[in-house]
Amino acid sequence: MTKFDVAIIGSGPGGYVAAIRCAQLGMKTALIEKYNTLGGTCLNVGCIPSKALLDSSHHYEDTVKHFDDHGIEIDGSVLVNLEKMIARKQSVVDQTTAGLDYLMKKNEITVFQGLGSFKDQHTITVSKADGVQEEVQASHVIIATGSKPNNLPFIALDKERVITSTEALKLKEVPKHMIVVGGGVIGLELGQVYSRLGAEVTVVEYMDRIIPTMDSGLSKELAKVFKKSKVKILTSHQVTAVTRDNDSVVLKATDKSGKEVELIGDYCLVSVGRKPYTDGLNLEAAGIEKDERGRVSVNAHLQTNISHIYAIGDVIQGAMLAHKAEEEGTFVAETIAGQQPHIDYNLIPNVVYTWPEVAAVGKTEEQLKAAGVTYKTGQFPMRALGRSRASMDLDGFVKILADATTDEVLGVHIIGARAADLIAEAVVAMEYRASAEDISRMSHAHPTFAEAIKEAALAATEDRALHI
Ligand code: FAD
Ligand code: NAD
């Protein structure tokens, strides 16, 4: 039996980052992964492949819809080769996961391929597909087993026509009509991919707005853009049935007035959230407790009820985001090493990679109102920027919410081109507890999309945006 300082179960962004940081801190580290490739949901069937398809479909859309405006004429037809597009996505995934193999070797991390399951509080049995078993013993264990797609109790996922994001990343044809259950981040990102490629897309959302956990201004603006692109959005609709009939899928829902609505499509993507994954871990053998939502329970140090066993990422409470899992991986490694790390969960940014992109950090207007905080708002439209006109990316705005008394920035909400990258400025500013005036007095390169942040800060400070 091999003995380690730390054994990590699951090699997603939480697990592999924890492994690297543990190794950097001098710990003898084991990483256990049940799949053949490292990287978990994010690298294999999540962040990376979805962004690869968003990028490819964006190129196609620009070619057929926008090149002409730029004086670029296509002499001949422009066709989608979906097989090639999906193959390119896979090669991006393969390069990225191969990069992890390199990082594990470089950091002298021992990788065990097989299902990890607790034998006792210090021993994990690793079972390979061929039945061979190994045991790993460790002084500390980090559970990083991630999450799986959620479903509604009355939907039978056949993974051919009634599918999750995993299948939507490898379809063999462009759907004629893709019905999307859930207007959250997966539904909108993958809905936009197939809409750009020519599918009719209808998003059915239970709440009264899409991306309902983000600031309502962002929901409204994104819905406007989606409607312009002919994606149909049905909010306040309660799905009651999804059935497959040969090559068709029939969805029934009840609208706000109680009327039954029926949709017929050829694919139905179910994207109603994800649930923590602990199957096969045998948590009972180590006496590890879960909460009422099936998540591994942890304290502020991310320790489970067994003090040398930690848990991070999607399998515990909090946002199901790769960068949140990564921060927690580093946090636990440093905690085990005796350091005193810190994570400010309020400053974990949230991004939707549609175009325009949507990105936010800190509090929404809804949250500030609910908490009774008095705040000022500075908003600046992207269309007023020279950079936006040059690239013809006119949709969206930056909204900064600042404390009415102290001017401290409490939330930044961006929808527009490159919002995913722009939000980093807001995170830095808020991490250093900047005021809106601090941001407004910093030079922002011209012409850039980032100027909208400066302008929104000016608007929040003294209602003195310069370019509107
Ligand atoms: P995971 O990445 O889920 O990794 C867990 C790993 O543990 C898996 O490899 C699994 O096989 C392994 N495992 C489980 N049980 C065992 C066991 N018993 N033994 C051994 N191994 C085991 N987040 C973002 O921040 N940005 C994005 O753009 C983004 N896009 C996404 C797009 C899609 C379509 C999806 C589905 C998700 C996306 N996410 C995104 C969410 C992101 O993928 C997750 O938040 C992130 O992967 C969580 O990391 P994790 O390490 O906690 O778990
Ligand atoms: P989500 O929580 O973002 O959205 C689910 C949506 O489904 C919500 O709007 C919810 O109101 C709706 N819904 C729930 N039950 C419904 C019902 N019965 N009928 C109709 N609508 C219903 O979840 P997701 O889009 O499945 O994504 C899962 C997780 O993956 C998210 O937590 C997200 O953090 C992560 N993810 C992140 C990114 C990113 O960071 N860009 C991309 C993809 C996924």
Side-chain angles (χ1 to χ4, degrees):
M1 170 149 15
T2 328
K3 289 194 175 172
F4 291 88
D5 295 319
V6 58
I8 298 153
I9 311 175
S11 71
Y16 86 73
V17 167
I20 293 173
R21 191 71 190 113
C22 284
Q24 285 175 343
L25 290 164
M27 293 176 232
K28 189 170 161 55
T29 306
L31 181 65
I32 302 164
E33 170 54 55
K34 69 175 179 168
Y35 287 129
N36 295 331
T37 55
L38 301 179
T41 305
C42 179
L43 272 64
N44 290 280
V45 290
C47 326
I48 300 300
S50 58
K51 267 78 256 180
L53 289 183
L54 277 158
D55 284 342
S56 296
S57 61
H58 200 165
H59 286 311
Y60 174 70
E61 184 179 54
D62 275 346
T63 312
V64 293
K65 287 198 184 152
H66 304 306
F67 275 14
D68 192 53
D69 296 331
H70 289 269
I72 303 167
E73 291 173 6
I74 309 285
D75 184 12
S77 41
V78 180
L79 301 173
V80 171
N81 181 336
L82 187 63
E83 193 182 341
K84 198 165 171 185
M85 202 178 274
I86 300 277
R88 187 198 80 93
K89 171 222 74 177
Q90 195 52 45
S91 105
V92 172
V93 168
D94 294 344
Q95 288 166 43
T96 314
T97 57
L100 277 193
D101 293 338
Y102 160 78
L103 288 175
M104 294 307 110
K105 279 201 191 90
K106 181 186 158 203
N107 287 285
E108 296 177 14
I109 294 159
T110 309
V111 175
F112 291 86
Q113 197 266 311
L115 180 81
S117 103
F118 282 97
K119 183 177 176 191
D120 58 46
Q121 292 183 351
H122 283 283
T123 317
I124 296 143
T125 308
V126 182
S127 310
K128 291 180 184 290
D130 61 8
V132 174
Q133 290 193 333
E134 282 180 273
E135 281 186 2
V136 174
Q137 224 181 41
S139 309
H140 300 91
V141 181
I142 305 174
I143 301 169
T145 49
S147 63
K148 285 280 177 234
N150 217 346
N151 192 14
L152 299 175
F154 50 84
I155 298 182
L157 289 165
D158 63 20
K159 302 200 173 176
E160 287 174 5
R161 299 263 163 195
V162 184
I163 59 177
T164 69
S165 54
T166 303
E167 295 75 49
L169 292 167
K170 53 181 183 194
L171 289 184
K172 295 203 162 27
E173 59 179 354
V174 175
K176 292 182 193 65
H177 180 197
M178 177 180 257
I179 303 168
V180 177
V181 183
V185 60
I186 291 181
L188 297 178
E189 288 184 358
L190 294 177
Q192 189 169 59
V193 164
Y194 286 104
S195 161
R196 286 168 174 165
L197 299 181
E200 180 189 347
V201 173
T202 307
V203 177
V204 186
E205 166 59 47
Y206 177 74
M207 303 293 280
D208 62 359
R209 58 186 175 97
I210 55 171
I211 44 169
T213 54
M214 298 188 84
D215 189 278
S216 63
L218 300 177
S219 302
K220 223 159 119 188
E221 182 76 3
L222 188 64
K224 225 161 65 188
V225 177
F226 266 62
K227 273 177 200 154
K228 259 196 306 197
S229 74
K230 301 212 168 52
V231 171
K232 201 166 165 192
I233 294 175
L234 304 176
T235 50
S236 303
H237 276 62
Q238 182 166 8
V239 178
T240 53
V242 174
T243 44
R244 178 174 172 183
D245 181 12
N246 293 316
D247 289 348
S248 327
V249 179
V250 181
L251 176 141
K252 289 194 172 136
T254 315
D255 74 7
K256 210 160 51 178
S257 68
K259 200 175 87 197
E260 186 170 272
V261 176
E262 186 179 282
L263 299 171
I264 300 174
D266 51 348
Y267 287 88
C268 177
L269 167 63
V270 181
S271 47
V272 291
R274 293 176 62 84
K275 57 180 179 204
Y277 184 72
T278 55
D279 292 4
L281 255 185
N282 199 21
L283 291 175
E284 305 73 31
I288 298 163
E289 287 167 6
K290 292 198 276 186
D291 68 16
E292 70 294 343
R293 290 167 64 180
R295 304 173 296 196
V296 176
S297 299
V298 289
N299 64 16
H301 303 290
L302 305 184
Q303 276 168 313
T304 66
N305 56 310
I306 310 300
S307 62
H308 68 277
I309 303 178
Y310 296 76
I312 58 174
D314 281 11
V315 78
I316 64 166
Q317 72 218 10
M320 289 185 166
L321 295 172
H323 43 286
K324 178 255 192 190
E326 290 187 26
E327 292 305 326
E328 291 179 338
T330 299
F331 177 96
V332 166
E334 293 178 353
T335 302
I336 293 171
Q339 299 180 8
Q340 291 187 314
H342 173 72
I343 298 175
D344 185 344
Y345 284 97
N346 184 43
L347 297 185
I348 304 272
N350 195 6
V351 175
V352 186
Y353 293 83
T354 48
W355 199 265
E357 292 176 336
V358 187
V361 64
K363 303 290 183 215
T364 64
E365 286 208 50
E366 291 74 20
Q367 286 169 332
L368 292 178
K369 278 180 194 147
V373 177
T374 46
Y375 64 94
K376 320 175 275 182
T377 306
Q379 188 161 319
F380 189 82
M382 292 296 186
R383 63 178 53 250
L385 294 175
R387 189 71 194 84
S388 300
R389 282 192 300 278
S391 70
M392 300 181 80
D393 288 304
L394 298 170
D395 293 313
F397 57 79
V398 173
K399 177 162 81 174
I400 294 186
L401 308 174
D403 188 283
T405 316
T406 65
D407 197 35
E408 180 175 353
V409 177
L410 302 176
V412 178
H413 305 277
I414 308 177
I415 175 165
R418 304 190 200 163
D421 295 297
L422 294 180
I423 201 67
E425 176 183 348
V427 176
V428 173
M430 290 176 70
E431 193 70 62
Y432 285 93
R433 302 196 60 180
S435 63
E437 185 180 357
D438 288 333
I439 297 178
S440 77
R441 291 191 180 277
M442 288 178 211
S443 174
H444 286 65
H446 174 74
T448 58
F449 294 106
E451 285 174 286
I453 298 181
K454 180 185 172 101
E455 292 276 1
L458 281 167
T461 313
E462 288 172 1
D463 196 16
R464 60 176 187 92
L466 294 165
H467 291 90
I468 194 156

